[in-house]
């Protein structure tokens, strides 16, 4: 390392030149920003405007406009949840539960939940807060009960706790499509009862208590509705619905949305050589590796067979390329074994960014990522390619 460089810099060798990296933000005029969904401060990358997935800031040492191959960064450990807090993504004043293990057991009969029965967020569970003046229901990021449904307003309805009756009251906030309580359009503030159904756009919420059998059943409903039975990753249905809402969010805010399509290389040979149980074990281990290497708010889903998808909000081509390279190297060094036998596993990745390719919806974004994936396969596998406006794919 040159003696003149600051101590915080280190050098990573690359096929296209060296890369100077640091574990602290650069000294540019804007080094951090707050993520709109998670309200957490994130580092900025000097090579692109989107935040890097982990604590890594990179400055290319060469002048080539191509993104260099990087040695994967050691993943940052996920923070342990505080007592009583769900392990899902939780914005301030909001608790949204998206998985079976995310629903904490409660012995408080007065705790009230809103369970999403239909719509894009089916299976999600929101806990109503008594210590807030209003629990806003709507599309906006600040909503206490955020519902990603294009048919509802940013601030659609509100639920407040009434200490005199020790119950919750719901009212419409002048929404475009109105709010229904048990199929009746709300015209004034009304009390909520356990078992009530609240209709907003194409979304139906059901009022429940945390200790009711219905809430326990919701845990199983979440598992079936959102998760792949073999790997535990989100399933194709959840990915399709989340992709639709994330694209709408990206278009509203003018932000890039990154989609990475991954496919295991020569997976048929793994099944033929080691057996299908070994193949299943590889898929399960792959899901675990992918989730370790991406941000908490990124979505890892099994698209079908040996193909997975990673959906990254607010991620442009530069950051997506960093993620793809790290995933390739993590899988290559993943230490896959079955019944004591090592199994060599690699993946090919196709990248599509919503602002960089001609897309008119989720299907076309997936199609562009698939084309880039095919190009990565043609290039020899164990690599990634990016779809763009001017060229079908780039490295």
């Amino acid at each position: 390392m040159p003696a003149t460089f600051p101590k915080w810099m280190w050098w990573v060798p690359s096929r296209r030149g060296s890369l100077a990296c640091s574990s602290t933000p650069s000294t540019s005029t804007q080094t951090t920003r707050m993520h709109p969904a998670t309200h957490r401060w994130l580092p900025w990358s000097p090579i692109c405007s989107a935040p890097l997935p982990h604590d890594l800031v990179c400055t290319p040492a060469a002048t080539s406009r191509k993104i260099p191959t990087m040695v994967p960064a050691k993943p940052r450990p996920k923070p342990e949840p505080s007592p009583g807090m769900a392990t899902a993504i939780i914005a301030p004043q909001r608790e949204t539960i998206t998985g079976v293990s995310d629903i904490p057991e409660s012995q408080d009969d007065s705790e009230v939940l809103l369970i999403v029965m239909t719509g894009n967020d089916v299976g999600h569970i929101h806990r109503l807060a008594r210590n807030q003046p209003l629990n806003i229901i709507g599309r906006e990021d600040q909503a206490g009960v955020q519902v990603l449904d294009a048919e509802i307003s940013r601030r659609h309805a509100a639920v407040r706790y009434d200490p005199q009756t020790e119950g919750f009251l719901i009212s419409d906030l002048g929404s475009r499509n109105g709010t229904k309580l048990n199929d009746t359009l709300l015209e004034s503030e009304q009390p909520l009862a356990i078992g009530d159904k609240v209709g907003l756009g194409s979304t139906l919420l059901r009022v429940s208590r945390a200790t009711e059998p219905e809430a326990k059943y919701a845990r199983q409903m979440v598992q079936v509705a959102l998760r792949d039975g073999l790997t535990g990753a989100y399933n194709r249905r959840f990915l399709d619905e989340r992709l639709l809402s994330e694209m709408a969010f990206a278009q509203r805010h003018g932000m890039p949305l990154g989609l990475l399509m991954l496919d295991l290389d020569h997976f048929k040979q793994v099944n033929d050589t080691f057996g299908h149980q070994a193949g299943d074990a590889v898929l399960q281990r792959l899901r675990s590796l992918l989730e370790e290497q991406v941000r908490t708010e990124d979505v890892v889903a099994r698209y079908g067979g040996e193909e997975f998808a990673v959906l990254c909000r607010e991620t442009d081509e530069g950051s997506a390329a960093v993620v793809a390279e790290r995933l390739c190297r993590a899988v290559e060094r993943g230490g896959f074994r079955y019944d004591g036998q090592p199994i060599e596993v690699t993946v090919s990745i196709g990248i599509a960014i919503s602002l960089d390719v001609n897309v008119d919806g989720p299907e076309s974004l997936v199609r562009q990522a698939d084309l880039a994936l095919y190009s990565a396969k043609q290039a020899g596998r164990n690599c990634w390619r990016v779809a763009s406006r001017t060229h079908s794919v780039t490295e």
Side-chain angles (χ1 to χ4, degrees):
M1 177 186 297
T4 57
F5 281 100
K7 293 182 179 180
W8 53 263
M9 297 188 70
W10 50 278
W11 288 85
V12 179
S14 167
R15 289 187 292 109
R16 299 191 183 95
S18 298
L19 197 67
C21 301
S22 75
S23 59
T24 58
S26 78
T27 56
S28 60
T29 57
Q30 190 173 20
T31 57
T32 61
R33 65 166 169 172
M34 181 177 286
H35 192 283
T38 61
H39 298 271
R40 290 180 295 176
W41 290 102
L42 300 174
W44 282 75
S45 166
I47 64 174
C48 58
S49 61
L52 291 179
H54 296 291
D55 293 333
L56 182 68
V57 177
C58 307
T59 304
T63 58
S64 171
R65 69 179 185 88
K66 295 185 177 180
I67 300 170
T69 301
M70 295 175 54
V71 175
K74 184 177 180 180
R76 181 176 56 194
K78 296 181 179 180
E80 292 294 330
S82 59
M85 179 179 292
T87 57
I89 303 170
I90 301 175
Q93 317 302 341
R94 177 170 75 232
E95 185 171 355
T96 303
I97 306 168
T98 59
V100 174
S101 61
D102 300 333
I103 306 175
E105 294 287 349
S106 173
Q107 300 302 320
D108 185 358
D109 288 338
S110 62
E111 281 196 324
V112 178
L113 307 176
L114 288 179
I115 303 173
V116 182
M117 307 299 291
T118 64
N120 293 336
D121 295 333
V122 61
H124 286 215
I125 298 177
H126 304 270
R127 193 184 304 280
L128 294 178
R130 289 181 174 78
N131 59 349
Q132 299 300 319
L134 288 177
N135 292 271
I136 301 297
I137 305 175
R139 288 189 291 108
E140 69 176 9
D141 296 327
Q142 293 76 25
V145 180
Q146 187 183 34
V147 179
L148 300 177
D149 184 340
E151 298 182 20
I152 74 172
S153 303
R154 295 175 60 83
R155 294 170 64 87
H156 196 101
V159 177
R160 71 177 181 89
Y161 180 70
D162 182 8
Q164 293 184 348
T165 62
E166 297 184 346
F168 286 94
L169 304 173
I170 186 170
S171 60
D172 186 77
L173 295 179
S175 63
R176 180 179 55 188
N177 298 328
T179 302
K180 292 183 177 181
L181 179 60
N182 298 322
D183 297 325
T184 301
L185 200 63
L186 277 178
E187 296 181 356
S188 61
E189 191 175 55
Q190 297 293 326
L192 281 178
I194 300 303
D196 280 351
K197 296 181 177 62
V198 179
L200 314 94
S202 62
T203 299
L204 181 66
L205 308 174
R206 195 179 195 284
V207 183
S208 177
R209 282 203 179 102
T211 55
E212 282 195 345
E214 178 182 341
K216 295 180 179 179
Y217 169 75
R219 299 181 180 91
Q220 300 175 356
M221 183 185 71
V222 171
Q223 180 74 21
V224 173
L226 306 181
R227 297 286 182 174
D228 172 60
L230 174 63
T231 65
Y234 285 113
N235 58 23
R236 171 73 176 275
R237 173 185 176 182
F238 178 84
L239 176 67
D240 290 343
E241 294 176 345
R242 185 64 175 269
L243 185 57
L244 185 66
S245 60
E246 288 292 341
M247 286 204 68
F249 177 91
Q251 291 171 356
R252 285 198 307 271
H253 296 276
M255 296 176 179
L257 177 66
L259 177 64
L260 285 68
M261 300 297 293
L262 303 86
D263 190 79
L264 280 163
D265 299 326
H266 304 298
F267 185 65
K268 185 177 183 300
Q269 294 183 11
V270 173
N271 284 328
D272 293 344
T273 303
F274 300 96
H276 287 278
Q277 289 183 331
D280 291 346
V282 167
L283 293 174
Q284 293 166 348
R285 170 63 176 154
L286 177 62
R287 188 272 304 174
S288 178
L289 273 176
L290 296 180
E291 291 185 346
E292 290 171 3
Q293 297 295 323
V294 300
R295 301 171 301 184
T296 304
E297 60 267 27
D298 296 333
V299 174
V300 175
R302 186 183 181 190
Y303 195 74
E306 65 269 26
E307 192 171 4
F308 285 76
V310 179
L311 186 60
C312 306
R313 174 184 282 194
E314 207 171 339
T315 300
D316 66 2
E317 180 178 327
S319 289
V322 172
V323 176
E325 180 63 25
R326 182 164 66 247
L327 292 179
C328 282
R329 302 290 77 81
V331 173
E332 185 180 29
R333 302 165 182 160
F336 291 83
R337 303 181 68 87
Y338 183 75
D339 198 20
Q341 301 182 66
I343 303 176
E344 293 185 6
V345 177
T346 60
V347 294
S348 299
I349 303 177
I351 303 171
I353 308 297
S354 60
L355 298 184
D356 297 339
V357 293
N358 297 314
V359 299
D360 53 10
E363 292 182 359
S364 57
L365 186 65
V366 173
R367 183 166 59 251
Q368 291 291 335
D370 269 334
L371 289 174
L373 173 59
Y374 177 77
S375 179
K377 293 285 190 180
Q378 295 296 105
R381 296 178 170 83
N382 193 23
C383 62
W384 51 267
R385 292 293 184 269
V386 184
S388 68
R389 289 181 183 273
T390 55
H391 303 286
S392 58
V393 288
T394 58
E395 183 181 5

